[in-house]
Amino acid sequence: MADVLLGELSQRACPVCGSRDDTAVFAPARLDAASLDRYAFASRKRPEHMRLRLVSCPDCDLVYASHVPAPEALARAYEAAAFDSGPEARSAARTYIRAMGALLRELPDRHGTLDIGTGDGAFLGELLDAGFTGVGGIEPSTQPITAAEPRLAGLIEHDVFRPDVRQQGSLSLVTCFQTIEHVPDPAELVRDATRLLKPGGLLALVCHDRRSPVNRLLGLRSPIIDIEHQQLFSPKSVTRLLEGAGLEEVGVQAIRNRYPLRYWARLVPLPRRAGEWVERRLLPGRVGDRMLSLPVGNLLAWGRR
Ligand SMILES: [Zn+2]
């Protein structure tokens, strides 16, 4: 089953700095064919604690999978991935646009945006509400697009990100939230995205911080240690990623995420049955809908062209 979904794995160098020293094993591979179902590549799902072999780069601080599926196999896995996260996607989009407030005020203008890995386009809705025009997103999975609000569905292209998706120098803002861990070549994506920006345009990423207190505490039980993550960043490695693409005024900031209690409960490392019991019995209906902000180890990282 693992073979069917992931195909043959091939070895790679550090996808941020190119170092070939993969001797510092962060976690050995852990694959379970029975759990490699279609939800393994859905966002905001219950974690199953599977992972590729992860190594820690001695040069740039990235943790990355040293042996990865072919990009086509990944694209197929995401194409078929189930989507189960509408309300959470809206909470996240609101969190991100608030965190970016000061950065958005310094854009060259509010015309021309692209959200890479936009899911159901929740962030596109926030941009429209904030007065942006020329808003668009790209998403490799079918299901979130089907679940998009009618006003957003037409703004989403169903594809993986490609450098010719927009004209070079045509965008004020490119965003990529909770996606950079998933792509086969994050340095290439950031370089290509940077070329799409106007002078002074902003590239903003949200990614997990593997060095945050919560992720250090949970260790290999953290939900970020997951089969779908090809690499995991820290402030140092994400800064290197953005500066490597020629971006300037690079900055990194921890953000607090605001989600319903039900979603937080899903991330606690409990056995599957116990987790489902908590969700059903302790957090029924409106209790589970209550919103809670927590610093869960996410980083907002940005740079200007
Ligand atoms: Zn590296």
Side-chain angles (χ1 to χ4, degrees):
M1 182 105 179
D3 286 337
V4 173
L5 191 60
L6 298 178
E8 205 157 306
L9 304 182
S10 57
Q11 194 169 5
R12 66 171 179 169
C14 170
V16 166
C17 75
S19 166
R20 298 213 160 259
D21 181 350
D22 73 348
T23 51
V25 177
F26 184 81
R30 189 162 180 267
L31 298 169
D32 162 22
S35 296
L36 263 178
D37 60 17
R38 65 205 184 97
Y39 275 94
F41 285 84
S43 60
R44 303 187 180 82
K45 48 162 193 159
R46 186 177 293 292
E48 333 60 15
H49 305 295
M50 289 191 294
R51 59 193 184 231
L52 299 164
R53 175 183 184 260
L54 298 174
V55 301
S56 174
C57 177
D59 291 337
C60 75
D61 204 42
L62 188 74
V63 162
Y64 65 96
S66 59
H67 296 72
V68 290
E72 303 74 49
L74 272 185
R76 271 200 307 279
Y78 284 112
E79 160 59 43
F83 176 73
D84 57 353
S85 61
E88 288 85 3
R90 282 193 291 280
S91 306
R94 206 149 301 147
T95 298
Y96 301 157
I97 199 152
R98 281 183 189 153
M100 292 170 66
L103 294 166
L104 297 183
R105 283 193 288 278
E106 291 170 15
L107 292 178
D109 57 48
R110 296 207 160 198
H111 182 73
T113 79
L114 181 69
D115 188 30
I116 301 170
T118 196
D120 67 356
F123 188 70
L124 307 183
E126 297 292 335
L127 289 175
L128 292 176
D129 293 346
F132 281 83
T133 54
V135 170
I138 191 150
E139 168 57 41
S141 303
T142 307
Q143 277 207 31
I145 303 177
T146 317
E149 280 179 48
R151 69 168 178 151
L152 303 177
L155 305 177
I156 305 172
E157 284 159 69
H158 178 207
D159 206 343
V160 294
F161 173 70
R162 298 177 204 285
D164 59 356
V165 67
R166 292 289 186 279
Q167 223 176 356
Q168 293 199 2
S170 68
L171 302 177
S172 283
L173 175 67
V174 175
T175 49
C176 184
F177 300 140
Q178 307 283 18
T179 297
I180 197 73
E181 290 95 343
H182 300 242
V183 301
D185 190 340
E188 181 181 55
L189 181 143
V190 169
R191 275 195 310 271
D192 289 342
T194 297
R195 286 192 199 103
L196 302 183
L197 291 171
K198 302 171 189 175
L202 184 81
L203 175 70
L205 307 176
V206 170
C207 62
H208 300 290
D209 177 5
R210 73 174 184 92
R211 291 199 176 272
S212 69
V214 65
N215 287 327
R216 295 176 89 125
L217 178 73
L218 292 174
L220 296 184
R221 300 291 292 170
S222 164
I224 73 169
I225 307 299
D226 190 279
I227 177 90
E228 65 186 319
H229 290 153
Q230 315 286 294
Q231 50 269 330
L232 291 166
F233 292 87
S234 62
K236 181 179 170 183
S237 53
V238 78
T239 298
R240 178 99 176 239
L241 175 76
L242 297 174
E243 289 179 345
L247 289 162
E248 294 175 0
E249 297 171 49
V250 170
V252 179
Q253 171 197 315
I255 54 177
R256 293 173 72 92
N257 286 63
R258 191 173 151 79
Y259 285 122
L261 272 175
R262 178 177 299 105
Y263 171 66
W264 291 122
R266 214 175 285 170
L267 295 187
V268 176
L270 291 173
R272 186 182 283 255
R273 307 273 293 273
E276 285 167 1
W277 184 86
V278 166
E279 223 177 293
R280 207 171 52 243
R281 306 300 291 273
L282 293 186
L283 302 171
R286 297 241 288 274
V287 180
D289 291 339
R290 287 182 56 180
M291 301 298 286
L292 181 67
S293 287
L294 289 174
V296 280
N298 282 329
L299 292 177
L300 173 66
W302 66 87
R304 283 182 203 285
R305 180 170 176 192

